[in-house]
Amino acid sequence: MKQVFTRTRITATLMAAAFTIASCGGAAQPTGTSASTAAPAAAAATTAPTAAAVAPAPKGTLVLLVDTVSGSIGTTDEEKAMYSCVQKNRFPQGEPIVWRVRVLDGLSGKALDDKGLKAVELKLPDGKMQAMKFGAHPKGKTDDYFWATSFKLPLDYPTGAFKYGVTATSVEGLVGEYSQFNVASAMLQVVKAGSR
């Protein structure tokens, strides 16, 4: 038994050595060539022009922080202070949904603005993409800076889950995506007009 094991081990070792030599360019010379003629041919093969240089993949990640808030359309001056820019995920038909997005560089943790990002887009339930804009908020003030967009729900918009996503693309080509948890009760909901 020990002799069979030793032969198997020696055979496996020899096969591994043969594969290593072949994969590392140590294969035998083709018939009719010598080491002196094979070397220039190998050098020519390695310096032959390549089709197209492949750009290295961008390094890092993008982290998206996304929330939805109420808009100020349809509110009185007194209501604006109470209902404008309030986080929520239930929106009545006929009212706007406002998205706020902050995109962070996953390596440094720094927020990226319109100089570091090529685009930030909202994907609506019908698949249409809507560009987000970077700027100061609230309107007319400089309390904070982030990406935002809105979508006014038509009065006849179907009630129920409103499935959306957000995609950010950096100037280097990094892409970050956000999607809601796939739990119906936790998704953004469209409710009947007049509901809160």
Side-chain angles (χ1 to χ4, degrees), residues 75-154:
T75 58
T76 65
D77 287 340
E78 295 81 35
E79 291 175 327
K80 282 182 185 178
M82 291 177 15
Y83 298 120
S84 185
C85 293
V86 174
Q87 263 187 341
K88 65 181 195 173
N89 73 338
R90 291 172 50 89
F91 292 87
Q93 297 163 315
E95 290 192 16
I97 304 169
V98 178
W99 283 267
R100 302 184 301 185
V101 176
R102 180 163 287 136
V103 182
L104 306 176
D105 177 307
L107 296 176
S108 70
K110 292 182 180 178
L112 298 172
D113 59 14
D114 52 353
K115 293 172 189 67
L117 293 170
K118 190 180 343 180
V120 178
E121 296 177 299
L122 169 69
K123 183 177 181 180
L124 295 166
D126 63 3
K128 290 181 183 172
M129 300 299 281
Q130 185 171 314
M132 300 185 105
K133 293 182 180 169
F134 184 80
H137 297 276
K139 189 175 183 177
K141 297 184 180 180
T142 57
D143 293 356
D144 205 351
Y145 291 82
F146 49 84
W147 296 84
T149 193
S150 64
F151 175 78
K152 186 169 191 244
L153 292 165

Side-chain angles (χ1 to χ4, degrees), residues 52-75:
V54 178
K59 294 186 178 179
T61 57
L62 297 178
V63 178
L64 281 70
L65 308 175
V66 180
D67 72 356
T68 52
V69 297
S70 57
S72 60
I73 296 173
T75 58

